[in-house]
Amino acid sequence: SLHDALPILQEDLNNNGTITDLTLGGSNTQNILGTGTINNLIVNKSGGTATCTGGMQTITNVLTPTAGTLAAAGYITLQSNNSGTAYATSGAAIISGLNIQHYLTSNQRGWRLIGSPFTTGVTLANLATSSNIDITYSGTNAYGGTSAASAETYVPATDTWTTYILSSNTWSANSSIALFI
């Protein structure tokens, strides 16, 4: 079967490259770190937990959760781009903290007016950190590149839209922001 042909990793993984097919197995605790790509990942552990501790692993094809536990902690992404979308099959493994991308074509991207779902104000930095939503701001971003702001708020006094500053601006209850999606 396909599962028998794949290498079974039973120790820690530091992936900074590309792995075509990989099975996480065994009954021991495993740590996963590094910034790399895994085309096909099978989680088939008889015990212990595989825990991501840093970096970012990108799955480009299929995640198969057969058995065991994978604590992704926001460090594994199912990639979606103009050539395809990675997906997860059904299975008995417990997987938490997985990022899932949804590729938008150029005619689907644009500014959307979003109403606050919160009963109190929340900073966008807090929202981005707690929910893995990538809200960019003008200047150097978390990935070392530069970007334009993806969130703005309307200022009635000056009849203008102003860029949100992630660390200091609060998205107030009962208000809206323009968010570039």
Side-chain angles (χ1 to χ4, degrees):
S1 80
L2 174 65
H3 294 279
D4 295 333
L6 300 178
I8 298 174
L9 181 69
Q10 297 185 39
E11 57 264 341
D12 292 346
L13 171 67
N14 186 355
N15 178 32
N16 289 301
T18 300
I19 298 173
T20 303
D21 298 307
L22 177 67
T23 298
L24 297 177
S27 60
N28 57 319
T29 298
Q30 294 171 280
N31 293 309
I32 301 168
L33 62 139
T35 301
T37 300
I38 303 171
N39 296 334
N40 299 297
L41 176 64
I42 297 170
V43 179
N44 191 15
K45 294 186 63 58
S46 58
T49 299
T51 304
C52 295
T53 58
M56 179 60 69
Q57 297 300 314
T58 302
I59 297 175
T60 59
N61 194 26
V62 180
L63 170 61
T64 305
T66 305
T69 302
L70 171 62
Y75 298 116
I76 295 181
T77 297
L78 291 178
Q79 184 181 53
S80 179
N81 58 34
N82 62 348
S83 59
T85 299
Y87 64 95
T89 63
S90 62
I94 299 168
I95 298 179
S96 62
L98 187 66
N99 298 318
I100 301 172
Q101 291 181 347
H102 179 78
Y103 179 76
L104 299 174
T105 61
S106 59
N107 64 343
Q108 294 172 313
R109 297 179 202 144
W111 289 94
R112 306 288 191 271
L113 193 59
I114 310 290
S116 175
F118 306 107
T119 57
T120 60
V122 62
T123 66
L124 293 185
N126 186 30
L127 180 62
T129 301
S130 63
S131 63
N132 290 321
I133 297 172
D134 185 18
I135 301 173
T136 58
Y137 52 95
S138 189
T140 303
N141 60 37
Y143 305 104
T146 57
S147 60
S150 63
E152 294 185 344
T153 184
Y154 180 71
V155 181
T158 58
D159 193 27
T160 59
W161 287 93
T162 302
T163 300
Y164 259 102
I165 299 170
L166 276 182
S167 60
S168 61
N169 288 134
T170 299
W171 187 10
S172 302
N174 302 316
S175 69
S176 297
I177 62 171
L179 190 61
F180 189 80
I181 297 175

